[in-house]
Amino acid sequence: MLKLLHTADWQIGKLFGQFEPDEAALLADARFKAVERLAKLASEQDLDLVLVAGDVFDAQGVADRTIHRLFNAMAGFSGRWVMLPGNHDAALSESVWTLAARLNAIPGNVSLCVKPEPLILDSLGVAILPAPLTQRNTFSDLTEWFAAAETPAGMLRIGLAHGSVQGILAEAIDSANPIAAGRAEQAGLDYLALGDWHGTRQVDARCWYSGTPETDRFRANDSGQALRVELSGPGALPLVTPVRTGHYRWQSDALTLRVASDIDQALQHLSAFAAADVVQLSVSGQTDLAGQRRLQQAIGQAQGRVHSLLADLSALRLEPTAEDIDALHADGYLGEVIADLRAEQQGPDAEVARDALTLLAGFLDDRRGGAA
């Protein structure tokens, strides 16, 4: 029986520009730690092989240190690694892979598949059929040669590719780097290991996307995993088991405030976020001044507790109550302005008056809070 780990889309060197620099640095570092966990998993479970189905690196222009650090992170597993160039790290004439070779950074137990030809691993009884990308985007199916590829009798046939299986993913994704649906069966493969889609997904009984081992975007696609695959022999169906490998939990939430009690529910929701959470939060609806203060305080507390919280309050309307206005204690000219705006809310320009009153009340409340 062959036992292997299928992983892909490590995106080493990825930048996270939407976050604060310290948060971005930790997210980038987490990708190396995910590789260390993969190596530890493969070693502890005594696996025979690790397949990496493309996009090991996020870009061609990574630093020398990044390349060395990546291969050092793999040191925990001394068995065979098989790596495939994807669209982010395509096997160009000059690429991150040629730089890694010049740096003498690639260990002896790593097989890099830069040509569409069988990789025969006699000691494991397996033939790997790779479809490396030699440019970022192609519009022909690079796995087409699998069917005609001759491999030794009695050996397992495993395909390794990076791209979009036509007809199963979002329509916008079915463009570059296509892979025909049913390729595993058509090419007589025992298993087809795919990369490019960052979530774990089964295509058919012999074909899977592993997804990225460390989530890197706000999308509910079952990411942060690798696949343990057991093949009992040629022709037998693979036994595929997803294994959780990610550390950070990325989630996108939307809250709508309509009545006063919604603030309490929003605060309870925020209190549930923990240290490993990376949150994108949007808040819409309306609230009074007291509700706004409570919400902003809760967001500030959560931002100090979680890894990252990106909060968008642009769709939240501030609707001060009469009690809110009275509590501002605005006198003189400002008092007259507030009185006029309150009165104009009953006239034809009610919406304009309400917006102006909301802005002014918020400014006065902020100033009052700063003076307290």
Side-chain angles (χ1 to χ4, degrees):
M1 174 181 290
L2 181 75
K3 298 178 295 182
L4 65 88
L5 193 66
H6 167 197
T7 178
D9 300 287
W10 292 357
Q11 313 296 148
I12 297 298
K14 183 178 177 68
L15 303 177
F16 295 89
Q18 72 268 48
F19 299 96
E20 294 296 325
D22 58 335
E23 297 171 344
L26 289 173
L27 291 174
D29 187 68
R31 312 206 71 76
F32 293 100
K33 293 180 177 178
V35 175
E36 292 174 356
R37 286 193 293 275
L38 292 171
K40 182 179 180 181
L41 175 66
S43 181
E44 290 180 345
Q45 297 195 9
D46 196 26
L47 303 185
D48 302 301
L49 179 66
V50 178
L51 299 178
V52 191
D55 281 2
V56 174
F57 296 96
D58 189 61
Q60 300 284 5
V62 300
D64 294 3
R65 177 181 179 275
T66 298
I67 294 173
H68 284 298
R69 189 178 176 196
L70 178 276
F71 288 109
N72 285 334
M74 297 163 54
F77 178 60
S78 60
R80 177 61 48 184
W81 298 78
V82 178
M83 310 184 88
L84 182 81
N87 60 310
H88 281 256
D89 55 1
L92 310 175
S93 57
E94 280 294 325
S95 70
V96 64
W97 299 110
T98 58
L99 174 58
R102 285 197 298 271
L103 293 172
N104 198 30
I106 304 175
N109 64 330
V110 174
S111 296
L112 177 61
C113 298
V114 294
K115 296 181 180 180
E117 59 188 24
L119 171 65
I120 308 299
L121 301 176
D122 290 302
S123 61
L124 298 178
V126 60
I128 308 294
L129 307 181
L133 285 168
T134 56
Q135 58 191 57
R136 186 176 179 92
N137 293 321
T138 63
F139 295 91
S140 59
D141 186 347
L142 300 181
T143 68
E144 193 170 357
W145 72 275
F146 289 179
E150 296 185 1
T151 56
M155 273 198 170
L156 292 164
R157 285 167 61 92
I158 296 178
L160 187 61
H162 189 91
S164 172
V165 176
Q166 301 299 280
I168 72 160
L169 300 179
E171 183 176 350
I173 300 174
D174 282 355
S175 53
N177 311 322
I179 298 171
R183 177 64 72 201
E185 180 179 1
Q186 183 265 344
L189 302 179
D190 295 293
Y191 185 73
L192 176 52
L194 297 181
D196 194 32
W197 183 246
H198 280 213
T200 300
R201 182 157 185 168
Q202 181 178 9
V203 177
D204 56 43
R206 298 184 184 276
C207 180
W208 287 70
Y209 285 98
S210 66
T212 178
E214 182 66 49
T215 304
D216 60 356
R217 60 191 64 179
F218 295 107
R219 182 179 291 168
N221 62 353
D222 209 16
S223 59
Q225 300 189 120
L227 298 175
R228 176 191 164 105
V229 182
E230 297 182 13
L231 293 162
S232 60
L237 287 176
L239 175 62
V240 181
T241 306
V243 181
R244 179 62 54 185
T245 56
H247 174 70
Y248 289 110
R249 296 184 297 270
W250 291 54
Q251 50 192 303
S252 184
D253 284 345
L255 301 177
T256 302
L257 307 181
R258 295 188 178 89
V259 296
S261 60
D262 288 342
I263 286 288
D264 294 326
Q265 295 180 14
L267 267 54
Q268 184 176 8
H269 188 79
L270 284 165
S271 69
F273 295 140
D277 288 325
V278 180
V279 184
Q280 184 181 62
L281 177 69
S282 63
V283 184
S284 61
Q286 63 185 43
T287 184
D288 57 17
L289 291 181
Q292 182 198 45
R293 284 195 296 269
R294 295 177 65 200
L295 179 63
Q296 288 178 331
Q297 289 172 357
I299 288 174
Q301 292 169 356
Q303 287 174 328
R305 186 174 62 253
V306 304
H307 177 76
S308 180
L309 171 56
L310 305 175
D312 179 7
L313 307 184
S314 61
L316 179 64
R317 289 177 60 87
L318 179 59
E319 296 284 358
T321 63
E323 290 77 12
D324 288 332
I325 300 297
D326 292 338
L328 294 175
H329 301 298
D331 52 16
Y333 175 72
L334 285 177
E336 294 175 5
V337 171
I338 289 175
D340 289 343
L341 290 173
R342 292 178 69 178
E344 288 178 15
Q345 289 189 102
Q346 309 304 318
D349 295 324
E351 184 175 355
V352 174
R354 185 169 58 251
D355 289 345
L357 179 59
T358 296
L359 290 171
L360 180 57
F363 168 76
L364 291 174
D365 188 57
D366 288 343
R367 190 180 68 173
R368 187 168 64 94

